[in-house]
Amino acid sequence: MGAIDTSTRVEKYIGDPVEGTQEVPRAKLEKIFNDIQSDLRFDHELNGCLNCGICTATCPAAHYYDFSPREIVQLLWTENLEGIYDAMQEKIWSCAQCYTCAARCPFGNSPGGLVMLMREAAIKHGMESAKSVLRPFSRVMLKLISTGNQLSPDMINPDHFGDWGPNISKIDAPLQVLRRAIPMPTLNTIKTAWETNLKTSVELYTIWEESGVLDQLETIDENLFDVIEDIMDEKRDEWDEFLEDMEDDDDDDD
């Protein structure tokens, strides 16, 4: 009877092999990985890895940052818990989400999709890397979540979006002058976005609340969460008052 093959692709050891210590408790590392692996998208994004490097060779971010799609896939494929945690501290935020990697992978993997799962896990667990990356977007998030609408151009500026590279300088163009030259009246302003219906705002807030988006926001930015909660509570009160007024009008008509 032949010997049983006990080899595995999973890296069991957790911690520094030299010091014999681990920075993060194993239980926490396992919980983070389980949150990533249990996502319905995980099995669609990770099918195996030949370690061929095509994804990294075609990755725009890999040319400018300490980032490798192949490394991300390998860490998840081997269930290297500590390596996954380390990558979530900085590397995953370098991905541009262009999905060139997914288009080129011979195994049909999507490193970009896996990065998105890791980013969501970083937010869920309140990692400092997620807080740091999302902090400049607080004004943007406030606009989107409180109004359910697109941004106004004046909300994007070089100081807050320096990671956009040299092209962010285009934001310094005379936008107000350029907008006035456009014949469409609705495009004449750079300070406002389209107004959203009150009922739509309340419905969107309910979706964000029920889907857990606001819980994640509270983990990342408690102050922003409090502001948005106050805004939406006021809108809910306005909506309730509107419905009451409508009922009163109906009663008067009867």
Side-chain angles (χ1 to χ4, degrees):
M1 183 176 180
I4 299 176
D5 184 7
T6 58
S7 63
T8 175
R9 60 181 170 82
V10 178
E11 296 190 14
K12 297 291 187 181
Y13 185 83
I14 301 296
D16 190 316
V18 177
E19 299 294 333
T21 59
Q22 59 187 57
E23 182 180 359
V24 183
R26 183 183 181 92
K28 181 176 181 179
L29 297 176
E30 290 178 343
K31 181 172 178 57
I32 292 172
F33 176 71
N34 288 337
D35 284 341
I36 298 172
Q37 189 181 45
S38 62
D39 192 285
L40 293 175
R41 294 166 290 178
F42 185 83
D43 289 336
H44 295 281
E45 312 287 34
L46 181 61
N47 302 304
C49 184
L50 295 173
N51 208 13
C52 63
I54 293 177
C55 57
T56 299
T58 59
C59 174
H63 291 279
Y64 299 99
Y65 301 101
D66 180 20
F67 175 71
S68 167
R70 174 172 59 179
E71 179 186 6
I72 298 299
V73 173
Q74 280 289 310
L75 290 174
L76 292 169
W77 179 244
T78 60
E79 300 183 15
N80 184 332
L81 305 188
E82 191 171 61
I84 292 170
Y85 182 85
D86 288 343
M88 293 171 73
Q89 305 315 302
E90 182 175 359
K91 292 182 179 180
I92 61 171
W93 305 104
S94 298
C95 174
Q97 293 288 292
C98 68
Y99 288 90
T100 302
C101 52
R104 300 294 181 86
C105 178
F107 251 51
N109 295 316
S110 176
L114 294 170
V115 164
M116 181 58 69
L117 298 183
M118 295 171 74
R119 286 177 174 178
E120 292 175 8
I123 294 173
K124 178 180 179 180
H125 289 271
M127 292 185 179
E128 286 302 319
S129 64
K131 294 180 180 181
S132 177
V133 168
L134 295 177
R135 191 171 293 116
F137 293 88
S138 59
R139 188 181 175 202
V140 175
M141 293 170 67
L142 175 60
K143 184 70 176 178
L144 288 173
I145 294 179
S146 62
T147 69
N149 211 333
Q150 87 286 357
L151 310 179
S152 54
D154 72 320
M155 295 175 64
I156 304 174
N157 60 70
D159 293 335
H160 291 161
F161 295 87
D163 60 327
W164 282 18
N167 286 333
I168 191 63
S169 63
K170 294 178 181 178
I171 300 300
D172 287 332
L175 295 180
Q176 192 65 58
V177 175
L178 295 175
R179 285 300 175 99
R180 287 174 181 169
I182 299 175
M184 296 177 62
T186 55
L187 297 179
N188 283 351
T189 177
I190 65 170
K191 296 182 179 180
T192 59
W194 296 330
E195 183 179 355
T196 306
N197 180 277
L198 178 60
K199 180 182 178 182
T200 300
S201 295
V202 173
E203 290 175 343
L204 286 170
Y205 180 74
T206 302
I207 292 173
W208 292 317
E209 192 175 47
E210 295 296 326
S211 63
V213 170
L214 292 181
D215 290 336
Q216 293 185 358
L217 178 60
E218 186 177 17
T219 301
I220 296 300
D221 192 332
E222 188 172 352
N223 292 331
L224 178 60
F225 170 81
D226 290 339
V227 171
I228 290 175
E229 191 174 48
D230 289 341
I231 292 174
M232 297 316 301
D233 284 345
E234 290 178 4
K235 288 194 174 185
R236 278 178 164 167
D237 289 340
E238 290 179 19
W239 178 243
D240 290 339
E241 291 175 4
F242 172 78
L243 293 179
E244 290 177 4
D245 291 341
M246 292 294 290
E247 290 179 1
D248 292 339
D249 291 341
D250 290 340
D251 291 339
D252 293 339
D253 292 340
D254 293 340

Coordinates of all heavy atoms in Angstrom, one line a residue, residues 19 28 30 38 43 50 62 76 82 91 129 138 160 203 207 212 225 235:
E19 N 12.0 35.1 14.9 CA 11.7 35.5 16.2 C 10.8 34.5 17.0 O 10.8 34.4 18.2 CB 11.0 36.9 16.3 CG 11.9 38.0 15.7 CD 13.1 38.2 16.5 OE1 13.1 38.0 17.7 OE2 14.1 38.7 15.9
K28 N -7.6 36.2 15.1 CA -7.9 37.3 14.4 C -7.6 37.2 12.9 O -8.4 37.5 12.0 CB -7.2 38.6 14.9 CG -7.6 39.9 14.2 CD -6.9 41.1 14.9 CE -7.3 42.3 14.1 NZ -6.7 43.5 14.8
E30 N -7.4 34.4 11.3 CA -8.4 33.4 10.7 C -9.8 34.0 10.4 O -10.4 33.8 9.4 CB -8.5 32.2 11.6 CG -7.3 31.3 11.7 CD -7.4 30.2 12.7 OE1 -8.3 30.2 13.5 OE2 -6.6 29.2 12.6
S38 N -15.5 33.5 2.7 CA -16.9 33.2 2.7 C -17.7 34.0 1.8 O -18.9 33.7 1.6 CB -17.4 33.3 4.2 OG -17.3 34.7 4.6
D43 N -15.0 32.3 -4.7 CA -14.8 31.1 -5.6 C -14.8 31.4 -7.1 O -14.3 30.6 -7.9 CB -15.8 30.0 -5.3 CG -15.5 29.3 -3.9 OD1 -14.4 29.4 -3.4 OD2 -16.5 28.8 -3.3
L50 N -1.0 29.4 -11.5 CA 0.2 28.8 -12.1 C 1.5 29.5 -11.8 O 2.6 29.1 -12.1 CB 0.1 28.8 -13.6 CG -1.1 27.9 -14.2 CD1 -1.2 28.2 -15.7 CD2 -0.8 26.5 -14.0
A62 N 1.6 47.8 -10.8 CA 2.8 47.1 -10.5 C 4.0 47.9 -11.0 O 5.1 47.7 -10.5 CB 2.8 45.7 -11.0
L76 N -3.7 34.3 -1.1 CA -5.0 33.7 -0.9 C -5.1 32.2 -1.2 O -5.7 31.4 -0.5 CB -6.0 34.5 -1.7 CG -6.3 35.9 -1.2 CD1 -7.1 36.7 -2.2 CD2 -6.9 36.0 0.2
E82 N -0.9 35.4 7.6 CA -0.1 36.6 8.0 C 0.2 37.4 6.8 O 0.2 38.7 6.9 CB 1.1 36.2 8.7 CG 1.9 37.3 9.4 CD 3.0 36.9 10.3 OE1 3.9 36.2 9.7 OE2 3.0 37.1 11.5
K91 N -0.6 47.3 0.5 CA -0.5 46.9 -0.9 C -1.8 46.9 -1.6 O -1.9 47.3 -2.8 CB 0.2 45.5 -1.0 CG 1.7 45.6 -0.6 CD 2.3 44.2 -0.7 CE 3.8 44.3 -0.3 NZ 4.5 43.0 -0.4
S129 N -5.3 51.1 7.8 CA -5.0 51.3 6.4 C -6.3 51.8 5.7 O -6.3 52.7 4.8 CB -4.5 50.1 5.7 OG -5.5 49.0 5.7
S138 N -14.0 61.7 2.8 CA -15.1 61.9 3.7 C -16.1 62.8 3.2 O -17.3 62.6 3.3 CB -14.6 62.3 5.1 OG -13.9 63.6 5.0
H160 N -6.7 67.0 -1.8 CA -7.3 65.9 -1.3 C -7.2 64.6 -2.1 O -7.4 63.5 -1.7 CB -8.8 66.1 -1.1 CG -9.1 67.1 0.0 ND1 -10.3 67.8 0.1 CD2 -8.4 67.5 1.0 CE1 -10.3 68.6 1.2 NE2 -9.1 68.5 1.7
E203 N -35.3 56.2 0.9 CA -35.2 54.8 0.5 C -33.8 54.4 0.4 O -33.4 53.2 0.7 CB -35.9 54.6 -0.9 CG -37.5 54.8 -0.8 CD -38.1 54.7 -2.2 OE1 -37.4 54.9 -3.2 OE2 -39.4 54.5 -2.2
I207 N -31.7 51.4 2.4 CA -30.9 50.3 1.7 C -29.5 50.3 2.4 O -29.0 49.2 2.7 CB -30.8 50.6 0.2 CG1 -32.2 50.4 -0.4 CG2 -29.8 49.7 -0.4 CD1 -32.2 50.8 -1.9
G212 N -25.9 47.1 5.6 CA -24.7 47.1 6.5 C -23.6 48.2 6.1 O -22.6 48.3 6.7
F225 N -20.2 59.2 10.3 CA -21.4 58.4 10.5 C -22.4 59.2 11.3 O -23.6 59.2 11.0 CB -21.0 57.1 11.3 CG -22.2 56.4 11.7 CD1 -22.9 55.5 10.9 CD2 -22.7 56.5 13.1 CE1 -24.0 54.8 11.3 CE2 -23.8 55.8 13.5 CZ -24.5 54.9 12.6
K235 N -34.4 63.9 7.4 CA -35.1 63.6 6.2 C -36.2 62.7 6.4 O -37.3 62.8 5.8 CB -34.1 63.1 5.1 CG -33.2 64.1 4.5 CD -32.5 63.6 3.3 CE -31.7 64.7 2.7 NZ -31.1 64.3 1.4

